[in-house]
Amino acid sequence: MKFIIQRDQLMDSVQDVMKAISSRTTIPILTGMKLEASQNGVKLTGSDSDISIESFIPEEEDGIVYVENIEPGSVVLQAKYFPDIVRKLPQKTVEIESDNHRNVTIRSGSAEFHLNGQDPEEYPQLPQLHTEDSFELPIDLLKNLIRQTVFAVSTSETRPILTGVNVRIEAGVLHFVATDSHRLASRQIPLGESEERLELPSIVIPGKSLTELNKILDDSQDKIDISVTENQVLFRTKHLYFLSRLLDGNYPETSRLIPEQSKTIVKIGTKELLQSVDRASLLAKENRNNVVRLITKEDNEIEINGNSPEVGNVIEEVIADSVEGEDLKISFSSKYMMDALKAIDYDQVKVEFTGAMRPFLIRPVDDEQVLQLILPVRTY
Amino acid sequence: MKFIIQRDQLMDSVQDVMKAISSRTTIPILTGMKLEASQNGVKLTGSDSDISIESFIPEEEDGIVYVENIEPGSVVLQAKYFPDIVRKLPQKTVEIESDNHRNVTIRSGSAEFHLNGQDPEEYPQLPQLHTEDSFELPIDLLKNLIRQTVFAVSTSETRPILTGVNVRIEAGVLHFVATDSHRLASRQIPLGESEERLELPSIVIPGKSLTELNKILDDSQDKIDISVTENQVLFRTKHLYFLSRLLDGNYPETSRLIPEQSKTIVKIGTKELLQSVDRASLLAKENRNNVVRLITKEDNEIEINGNSPEVGNVIEEVIADSVEGEDLKISFSSKYMMDALKAIDYDQVKVEFTGAMRPFLIRPVDDEQVLQLILPVRTY
C-alpha cells in the first residue's frame, strides 16, 4: 500500500473516524484504525463494535486532487498515535507506505515515522446493509432532531432501552422521542411526498451513537440517507458511512404520559424563563436535582425562586406574556427545565400545567412538532 | 453597607480576587470574599494565607462612574456562590446591601438574591508593608520574566525551596532563576538608572504565586511596584494589591552549574527545532520523561529521533544554521527542551553542548539575558 495525500483532508477524516474508536474495547484490533487505499481514494475505518465509522477521501473531486501515486492495499495502525502524528506533520502533503511485513512509513518533509502496522485481515468486516427501509433527510434537520431529543435519554443502565432515542415513521411523519422517566423530549416532522407511504417500525438508537453522529456532521442542506435493518441503522452521506447497533427491546408507549388538558397556561419569553431559572438554580445547588419553584402571581407575573437554607435564597418576578387558569405553585428540576428550554428554537414558549403534582408540557407557542415534558418534584 | 456598581467591573475584580481563594483552606473565613465600601469605592479581598489579593473599584475614574449611592461598610460573602451570581445578573448594574445582621441582598433588574454574610471583623487584616526595598517594572516585562522562568520550578516538595523562583538585584541587574535540579531557567535585565544603586537581597517567591499573578496582570506598559520585606513580597498596580509570602531557606548557588566552555555549538531556527522535538516526542511516550535523541551529522544537519520499541520510531533531519565542534549524540527530555524553546522569544537559538553527559545551554544567538539549561539523560 502506498499513497500521497493532503494532510488537512486526512486530518478531518481521522478525527471523524476516531469518534468510534475506544481504547477500552475488549477486541485488541479495534484499538486500531484501518487504512485502505484503492484507485478511487483512501478509506479510513474505526469501530468499537457498537458504532462503526468509515470516512472516504476521494482520489479527486471537483477538479481538486486529494490523493496521488496510489498503490492499493490496506493496513491497521494504532489509533493512540496516528492522529497526533498527522496533526503535527510539517508539510501539507504526507506519504504513507506499508511494506509486506506491515512496516508502515509516514513521510512529510524531513520527518519520517516508522510504525508497526497490524494485519487488516484481522479487522472485522463491516456488514453491507441491504434494506428497503431507507429514507433521506437534510443533514441540518437530522442534527436538530438529535439535538432536541437526545439530552433526555437516561444515563442509567437500570432500564437500558431508555438510554436510546425512539425513532419511527407513522403516516408519513417521522418521530424522535427520548425519556429518562423523569422528563420526555419529542420532535416530529412530516416527510416529503416521495416518502409519504414509508412506514418505519419503531427502533431505538443508542443516545451515544446519535451524539457522536451529531458531532461529525457539519450543518448543511445536503441529504443524509438513513437505512434500517432489524438490529442496525446506517447513516450515509457522500463520503461518510456511520453504522450503529440498535437497542433490543420494546420502547415504552409514551403518548399516554402527555396530558390532554391543562389547568394553567403560561406564555412567556424563552430566554427570560431560561435565565431566571438559571439564576434560581445557583442557590438550589445543595438540593437534590437543583429544585426551583414557580409560583403564578397577579398581573401576568410569575415568581421563580431557589432556596438553599445554609447559603440564602433568590427570588425573581418575571413578566409573562399571559398567565391563564388556576393559581399554581410547582417545584421542578432546574436542569430539566433549562435543557428543555434550550432545545426549543423559538422566542416564545407555552407552558401547560395540570396541577402541582402532574407532568407539565413546554412547547413553542405556534408549533406542535416540538414537545418537552417534565415531571414536577414533591417538596413538602 | 450599600452601593450600586457596574456589573462588568465587579465581575473583573471578582475574577482576580478569586485567584487567591481556595475552598480547601483550614481557616473557614478565608473561603469567603471580603467586600468593603468606602466613599472612594469598593474593595474586594481574597486570601489563602499564602497569597492575598485586593482589587479596588474606584467610585469614579476618568469621568466614568463605577460605583454610586455608597453607604460605607463591609461584609464577607461565600466565594463559592458569589462569582456565578454576579456573572448571571440580568442588568448592567447591581445593588449590594448588607443590614446589621449581615443579611446581604443583591438586586439586579427583577432578580433578588439573599445571602447570609459573615462578620468582616473575623477576616484577617492584611499586613501593611513598610519597606525601602521597592522598585518598579513595566507590567509586560514582569510577565515575561515570570513566563520565561516559572515553568522550571520543582513540583516536588522534597526540596521546598526549589518550588520557588529566586529573585535578586545585583549591581543594578534584576535576576530571575528557577530550577528543579534537572533543568534551569534564568532571565536577567538591567534596571533603569534610578534604581541602579538598589541591592535586593536574594528572595524566593513561590512559583504558584507568580503563576497566579501572571494570570491576573494584563499585558501593558504600565508600571508595577514591587516591595520586599523579610518574609513577604507585594506587587502593586493602580487598583491591584498582590501579596505573597516568601519561601524560607537559602536558594542554592546556581551559577557554578553553568558550563563556561562548550565543545559543540549548534545554531538553529527555534521553531524548526521545537517542532521536530515535538514530533519525535510522539513516539517517546512510553519512555521515562519522553526522552528523544539529538545526533550531529555532516553538512550542518542534525538528526532528532524518538523511539518507542512497541510502537515504532521517528527520525527527522533538520538543517541547522551551523554545527561547530565535536560530533555528538545526546539524549534529553523532550518536555524540558520544548519548555525551554517556548520560553525564548527569538527566531534563532544557540545550543551549546559540553559532551553527552554534561548539562547543555540554550539561548538566543545575540542575547545573553535569557538562558536555559538542561541536564541530559543517560540512555545506555
Side-chain angles (χ1 to χ4, degrees):
Chain A
M1 183 195 74
K2 186 172 174 178
F3 55 87
I4 296 173
I5 193 166
Q6 297 294 314
R7 184 195 56 196
D8 291 350
Q9 269 63 37
L10 179 61
M11 192 68 237
D12 286 349
S13 283
V14 166
Q15 280 172 330
D16 286 350
V17 166
M18 282 303 289
K19 300 266 187 318
I21 300 178
S22 161
S23 55
R24 285 170 301 178
T25 172
T26 50
I27 308 168
I29 191 86
L30 292 186
T31 61
M33 184 183 296
K34 186 173 165 189
L35 279 69
E36 211 172 341
S38 66
Q39 287 306 345
N40 303 323
V42 172
K43 187 165 77 181
L44 308 184
T45 308
S47 176
D48 66 358
S49 75
D50 283 350
I51 303 175
S52 301
I53 302 175
E54 282 180 6
S55 178
F56 185 73
I57 303 158
E59 177 259 335
E60 178 264 321
E61 191 176 54
D62 300 335
I64 301 168
V65 173
Y66 294 112
V67 196
E68 290 177 296
N69 296 18
I70 301 173
E71 292 175 14
S74 60
V75 73
V76 175
L77 283 178
Q78 289 200 32
K80 186 174 167 191
Y81 301 94
F82 190 55
D84 273 343
I85 290 174
V86 175
R87 184 176 303 113
K88 295 187 171 173
L89 289 173
Q91 300 283 328
K92 291 239 166 263
T93 60
V94 44
E95 179 185 293
I96 300 183
E97 183 175 3
S98 171
D99 71 12
N100 293 336
H101 302 288
R102 294 187 291 276
N103 296 316
V104 178
T105 305
I106 302 173
R107 279 188 207 92
S108 180
S110 57
E112 187 171 305
F113 290 81
H114 300 274
L115 295 176
N116 307 323
Q118 290 170 276
D119 186 355
E121 298 296 318
E122 284 181 29
Y123 201 90
Q125 284 290 332
L126 298 194
Q128 294 305 314
L129 286 197
H130 293 288
T131 170
E132 304 262 305
D133 288 333
S134 157
F135 61 102
E136 278 189 346
L137 286 179
I139 289 174
D140 49 8
L141 180 56
L142 175 64
K143 283 176 70 75
N144 261 340
L145 285 160
I146 295 172
R147 196 180 55 77
Q148 295 183 317
T149 54
V150 76
F151 64 87
V153 301
S154 171
T155 53
S156 140
E157 285 294 330
T158 327
R159 288 180 67 189
I161 195 80
L162 296 187
T163 64
V165 175
N166 179 222
V167 176
R168 64 183 196 280
I169 298 174
E170 276 172 19
V173 176
L174 173 66
H175 298 256
F176 271 55
V177 178
T179 179
D180 60 8
S181 78
H182 302 291
R183 51 146 164 205
L184 177 147
S186 151
R187 171 77 199 265
Q188 56 190 57
I189 55 136
L191 290 174
E193 279 188 22
S194 60
E195 276 122 353
E196 217 161 46
R197 275 182 235 113
L198 182 70
E199 294 281 316
L200 182 73
S202 171
I203 60 170
V204 185
I205 306 175
K208 181 173 179 298
S209 301
L210 291 175
T211 302
E212 297 300 339
L213 177 63
N214 190 35
K215 283 186 204 156
I216 293 175
L217 295 174
D218 291 321
D219 260 315
S220 131
Q221 306 271 333
D222 290 350
K223 294 293 176 89
I224 186 163
D225 183 85
I226 304 169
S227 312
V228 177
T229 65
E230 205 181 327
N231 50 19
Q232 286 180 311
V233 57
L234 172 65
F235 298 88
R236 196 169 46 197
T237 65
K238 208 166 176 192
H239 297 311
L240 183 79
Y241 176 103
F242 185 106
L243 186 75
S244 168
R245 76 178 170 101
L246 297 176
L247 293 178
D248 250 351
N250 291 318
Y251 200 78
E253 179 52 58
T254 53
S255 58
R256 63 181 167 72
L257 292 176
I258 297 161
E260 289 182 353
Q261 293 179 322
S262 57
K263 293 182 178 166
T264 313
I265 300 179
V266 175
K267 290 183 185 167
I268 191 167
T270 312
K271 199 172 130 190
E272 284 72 31
L273 182 57
L274 175 61
Q275 291 182 345
S276 60
V277 170
D278 191 8
R279 281 189 287 269
S281 76
L282 292 176
L283 293 186
K285 285 236 167 84
E286 313 290 318
N287 285 330
R288 185 171 54 103
N289 281 333
N290 286 18
V291 172
V292 299
R293 185 189 277 223
L294 180 151
I295 304 169
T296 57
K297 298 280 188 181
E298 307 276 297
D299 300 327
N300 288 339
E301 280 198 2
I302 58 168
E303 176 187 313
I304 305 286
N305 73 53
N307 185 21
S308 180
E310 298 281 297
V311 188
N313 63 63
V314 47
I315 297 175
E316 187 155 351
E317 310 279 340
V318 190
I319 297 169
D321 298 325
S322 69
V323 180
E324 290 167 17
E326 297 177 6
D327 286 348
L328 180 77
K329 289 185 187 184
I330 191 168
S331 300
F332 49 83
S333 153
S334 56
K335 178 177 186 306
Y336 290 172
M337 181 58 113
M338 289 192 284
D339 284 348
L341 291 170
K342 284 177 193 159
I344 294 180
D345 291 329
Y346 287 85
D347 291 343
Q348 307 294 119
V349 289
K350 181 168 64 172
V351 192
E352 296 169 71
F353 300 95
T354 347
M357 298 316 303
R358 302 294 312 279
F360 60 93
L361 298 180
I362 309 150
R363 48 184 155 195
V365 172
D366 295 314
D367 185 345
E368 300 282 308
Q369 296 183 354
V370 184
L371 181 146
Q372 304 283 341
L373 175 144
I374 295 173
L375 269 67
V377 175
R378 201 181 288 255
T379 51
Y380 52 84
Chain B
M1 184 194 75
K2 185 170 171 179
F3 55 86
I4 296 174
I5 193 166
Q6 297 293 314
R7 184 194 57 196
D8 291 352
Q9 269 63 36
L10 179 61
M11 192 68 237
D12 286 350
S13 284
V14 165
Q15 279 172 332
D16 286 350
V17 166
M18 282 303 289
K19 300 267 188 317
I21 300 178
S22 160
S23 56
R24 284 170 302 178
T25 172
T26 50
I27 307 168
I29 192 85
L30 293 185
T31 61
M33 183 182 297
K34 186 172 163 192
L35 280 70
E36 210 172 342
S38 66
Q39 287 306 344
N40 303 325
V42 171
K43 187 165 77 179
L44 308 184
T45 308
S47 175
D48 67 357
S49 75
D50 282 352
I51 303 174
S52 301
I53 302 174
E54 281 180 5
S55 178
F56 185 72
I57 303 158
E59 177 259 335
E60 178 266 319
E61 192 175 55
D62 301 336
I64 301 168
V65 172
Y66 293 114
V67 197
E68 290 177 295
N69 296 18
I70 301 175
E71 293 175 13
S74 61
V75 73
V76 175
L77 283 178
Q78 289 201 30
K80 185 173 169 192
Y81 300 95
F82 189 55
D84 272 343
I85 290 174
V86 175
R87 183 177 302 112
K88 294 186 171 174
L89 289 173
Q91 300 283 328
K92 291 238 166 265
T93 61
V94 43
E95 179 187 295
I96 300 184
E97 184 176 2
S98 173
D99 70 13
N100 293 336
H101 302 286
R102 295 189 289 276
N103 295 315
V104 179
T105 305
I106 302 172
R107 281 188 207 92
S108 180
S110 57
E112 187 172 306
F113 289 80
H114 300 274
L115 295 177
N116 307 321
Q118 288 170 276
D119 186 356
E121 298 297 318
E122 284 181 29
Y123 200 89
Q125 284 290 333
L126 298 194
Q128 295 304 314
L129 287 197
H130 294 288
T131 171
E132 304 263 305
D133 287 334
S134 158
F135 60 102
E136 278 190 345
L137 285 179
I139 289 175
D140 50 8
L141 180 56
L142 175 63
K143 284 175 69 75
N144 261 342
L145 286 161
I146 295 173
R147 195 179 56 76
Q148 294 183 320
T149 54
V150 76
F151 64 87
V153 301
S154 170
T155 53
S156 139
E157 285 294 328
T158 326
R159 287 181 69 191
I161 196 79
L162 296 186
T163 64
V165 175
N166 180 221
V167 176
R168 63 182 196 282
I169 299 175
E170 276 173 19
V173 176
L174 173 67
H175 297 256
F176 271 54
V177 178
T179 178
D180 60 5
S181 79
H182 302 290
R183 49 147 164 203
L184 177 145
S186 150
R187 170 77 200 265
Q188 56 192 58
I189 54 138
L191 290 174
E193 280 187 20
S194 60
E195 275 121 352
E196 219 161 44
R197 277 183 233 112
L198 183 72
E199 293 281 316
L200 181 73
S202 172
I203 59 169
V204 185
I205 307 175
K208 182 172 178 298
S209 300
L210 292 175
T211 301
E212 297 301 338
L213 177 64
N214 190 35
K215 284 185 203 158
I216 293 175
L217 295 174
D218 292 321
D219 260 316
S220 132
Q221 307 270 334
D222 291 349
K223 293 291 174 85
I224 186 163
D225 183 83
I226 304 169
S227 313
V228 177
T229 64
E230 205 181 327
N231 50 19
Q232 287 181 308
V233 57
L234 172 66
F235 298 88
R236 197 169 45 197
T237 65
K238 206 167 178 193
H239 296 310
L240 183 79
Y241 176 105
F242 185 105
L243 185 76
S244 169
R245 76 179 170 100
L246 297 177
L247 293 178
D248 251 352
N250 291 317
Y251 200 79
E253 180 52 59
T254 53
S255 58
R256 64 182 167 70
L257 292 176
I258 297 162
E260 289 181 355
Q261 294 180 321
S262 56
K263 296 183 176 164
T264 314
I265 299 179
V266 176
K267 291 184 184 167
I268 191 167
T270 313
K271 198 172 132 192
E272 284 72 31
L273 182 56
L274 175 60
Q275 290 182 347
S276 62
V277 170
D278 191 10
R279 280 188 287 270
S281 76
L282 291 176
L283 293 186
K285 285 236 167 83
E286 314 287 321
N287 285 333
R288 185 173 53 104
N289 283 333
N290 286 16
V291 173
V292 299
R293 184 189 278 223
L294 180 151
I295 304 167
T296 56
K297 298 280 187 180
E298 307 274 299
D299 300 329
N300 289 339
E301 278 199 359
I302 59 169
E303 177 187 312
I304 305 286
N305 73 52
N307 184 21
S308 179
E310 298 280 297
V311 188
N313 62 65
V314 47
I315 297 173
E316 186 155 353
E317 310 279 341
V318 191
I319 297 169
D321 299 326
S322 69
V323 179
E324 290 167 15
E326 296 179 6
D327 286 347
L328 180 77
K329 288 185 187 184
I330 190 167
S331 299
F332 49 84
S333 153
S334 57
K335 179 178 184 309
Y336 291 172
M337 182 57 115
M338 289 193 283
D339 285 347
L341 291 169
K342 284 177 194 161
I344 294 179
D345 291 328
Y346 287 84
D347 291 345
Q348 306 295 118
V349 290
K350 180 169 64 172
V351 192
E352 296 169 72
F353 301 94
T354 344
M357 297 318 302
R358 301 294 312 280
F360 60 94
L361 298 180
I362 309 151
R363 48 184 155 196
V365 172
D366 294 314
D367 184 346
E368 298 282 308
Q369 297 183 353
V370 184
L371 181 146
Q372 303 284 342
L373 174 146
I374 295 173
L375 269 69
V377 175
R378 202 180 285 257
T379 52
Y380 51 87

